[in-house]
Amino acid sequence: MPASPSTARAINDRLALRLLQDEGPLTAGQLKQLTGLSRPTVADLVERLTASGLIEVVGEAGEQRRGPNARLHGIVADRAHLAALDVRTEGVAVLVSDLVGRVLAEASVPIGGDIGTGPAVEQAVTLVERAVKEAGADRLHTVGIGAPGLIDPASGELRDSSGLPAWHRRLVAALQERLPAARVTVENETNLAALAEQREGVARDRDTFVLLWLGHGTGAAVVLDGTLRRGASGGTGEIGFLPVPGTTGLPSATDCEGGFHSLAGSAAVAALAREHGLGPAPDPVPGEPEAAGLVRAAVARVDAAAGDGRDAPGSDSGSDSSARFLDSLADRLAIGAASVVAVLDPGCVVLGGEVGRAGGETLAARVAQRLRRMAPLPTQVRPSPLGGAAVLRGALLTARESAQAELFAGRDG
């Protein structure tokens, strides 16, 4: 049956809003071209959306053009303000944006392991409140949180996890209490990083891929046919628990030591670098895993030696040691990647997190070479351009989509 007039209007409005979200400000003529709707229909929907306070004129297209046809229509950015949080074991980072995702304020605070749960929560909540004030926002519409650990797929709550500080779970409740008007959602940090890579990073051309998170710890996120897969209990991607050769034991249900984490976690990678005579990392970045600085320095030495034509063994002791370190690290990473490839056949593995970004193409090429020998399935290996920042970007993307979905829901009739 044909849609009723009100349903057709709602469909057209949602289509226009989606285009303005994805493409940015557009003229009525551009909306007509992209939607395939008639000029009168586009004029009507622009009038409706403007009257409802969802879109506004934000400029004109072309220096020489003037008049109604040149007006650029965009989503009303200050209709709602959003916050994104990256909650780590050792601290919190936050950013506040408007409805179109423009970042208005950013801040972070380290939280030591010796501080109590109450003071830790207060530090984190105060950080958010300060960022909101700096952004000039009266209140937050949606808060998206990325955190390590398992997210209950039924309740959407962060589960108790061994090894994670108690203030992580308390933080969500505290934010809901202090920001009663805001919708607060929480998602696994690696899953958010994968969403950011899918939308803004190296996996924009992939419907199916796996992100291998390499930071302080390890993790994986699985995107199949364009959809993030969480698993029956929310634990898809807990690759740190994967039993692998080369460790001194096996992981347990409560401890990932002996699993892939023991090969690829930051402490293990830093120890591997020291075995090759490398370290400490030059110019360490506050809050960044030690391993990232060591990998970055090793890549710089290897790339510099290759650029100078000093490829022969013994030509440069520093670059030789760095090359051997990266080779050994690639051996380890390929073990985890090959296990994922054998089960999921994702076609693409993204080396994410701070270490994945630090390794760049130099490390990714080494992992890809080993993966070709270990796995029968063709798989690209790509380094993340976002690194650890992917968690905040993913949290912001999910908060933005959630807020826009609620605000635009009024177009359904």
Side-chain angles (χ1 to χ4, degrees):
M1 294 180 60
S4 66
S6 62
T7 300
R9 286 193 295 270
I11 293 172
N12 292 339
D13 290 356
R14 288 199 304 271
L15 176 58
L17 287 166
R18 173 61 65 178
L19 286 168
L20 292 170
Q21 174 186 337
D22 294 342
E23 304 292 334
L26 299 168
T27 65
Q30 290 169 328
L31 281 170
K32 175 182 178 297
Q33 182 179 7
L34 292 171
T35 61
L37 299 173
S38 68
R39 187 178 300 277
T41 300
V42 169
D44 287 344
L45 73 84
V46 166
E47 184 178 351
R48 281 196 305 275
L49 294 176
T50 301
S52 66
L54 291 175
I55 71 172
E56 62 183 352
V57 176
V58 296
E60 291 185 337
E63 295 182 1
Q64 305 302 320
R65 298 179 61 187
R66 293 293 184 270
N69 292 333
R71 292 173 185 165
L72 283 168
H73 304 276
I75 293 172
V76 178
D78 60 1
R79 177 71 181 265
H81 290 91
L82 322 168
L85 277 75
D86 181 1
V87 179
R88 303 289 181 98
T89 303
E90 71 289 345
V92 176
V94 60
L95 62 80
V96 177
S97 83
D98 58 25
L99 186 58
V100 297
R102 184 173 62 243
V103 176
L104 304 175
E106 294 183 80
S108 62
V109 63
I111 298 179
D114 56 347
I115 190 173
T117 298
V121 170
E122 184 61 29
Q123 276 191 331
V125 175
T126 300
L127 181 76
V128 175
E129 292 175 334
R130 188 165 66 245
V132 172
K133 183 177 180 180
E134 182 183 339
D138 295 329
R139 65 185 183 90
L140 292 176
H141 182 282
T142 305
V143 179
I145 303 174
L150 298 179
I151 309 300
D152 189 310
S155 67
E157 296 180 352
L158 184 66
R159 291 181 173 180
D160 285 316
S161 300
S162 60
L164 295 178
W167 62 267
H168 279 198
R169 277 180 57 85
R170 289 278 300 277
L171 175 59
V172 176
L175 285 170
Q176 289 175 328
E177 180 179 344
R178 296 271 281 270
L179 304 169
R183 172 185 296 177
V184 180
T185 62
V186 61
E187 177 60 274
N188 174 267
E189 59 179 357
T190 308
N191 287 344
L192 290 177
L195 290 174
E197 296 292 352
Q198 183 184 32
R199 306 287 180 81
E200 302 179 347
V202 76
R204 284 172 294 187
D205 62 334
R206 302 290 310 189
D207 288 330
T208 296
F209 70 97
V210 168
L211 178 130
L212 190 61
W213 180 263
L214 305 169
H216 287 285
T218 59
V222 177
V223 177
L224 301 178
D225 300 324
T227 302
L228 180 69
R229 306 294 180 175
R230 295 176 175 81
S233 62
T236 294
E238 288 294 315
I239 199 172
F241 288 86
L242 180 73
V244 292
T247 65
T248 58
L250 291 172
S252 69
T254 58
D255 190 351
C256 59
E257 287 299 322
F260 183 64
H261 172 83
S262 295
L263 294 183
S266 179
V269 175
L272 180 65
R274 289 190 286 271
E275 290 175 13
H276 287 82
L278 305 178
D283 304 320
V285 177
E288 184 181 71
E290 180 186 7
L294 292 166
V295 169
R296 186 183 301 110
V299 167
R301 293 190 195 98
V302 169
D303 289 351
D308 292 342
R310 291 181 279 119
D311 297 326
S315 61
D316 182 280
S317 59
S319 63
D320 284 351
S321 297
S322 294
R324 287 192 293 270
F325 162 58
L326 294 177
D327 286 340
S328 296
L329 177 57
D331 288 340
R332 294 183 173 193
L333 299 182
I335 291 173
S339 301
V340 170
V341 168
V343 175
L344 296 174
D345 185 20
C348 178
V349 172
V350 175
L351 302 183
E354 295 89 350
V355 175
R357 183 182 184 187
E361 292 289 352
T362 300
L363 179 59
R366 282 169 159 78
V367 175
Q369 182 184 48
R370 287 152 178 79
L371 201 54
R372 284 193 293 270
R373 295 199 300 262
M374 297 174 65
L377 307 173
T379 307
Q380 297 178 359
V381 180
R382 302 177 179 179
S384 163
L386 301 175
V391 177
L392 267 180
R393 292 304 306 171
L396 178 58
L397 286 168
T398 57
R400 175 182 162 191
E401 289 187 355
S402 176
Q404 290 186 349
E406 180 178 320
L407 291 170
F408 298 167
R411 312 316 306 158
D412 289 341

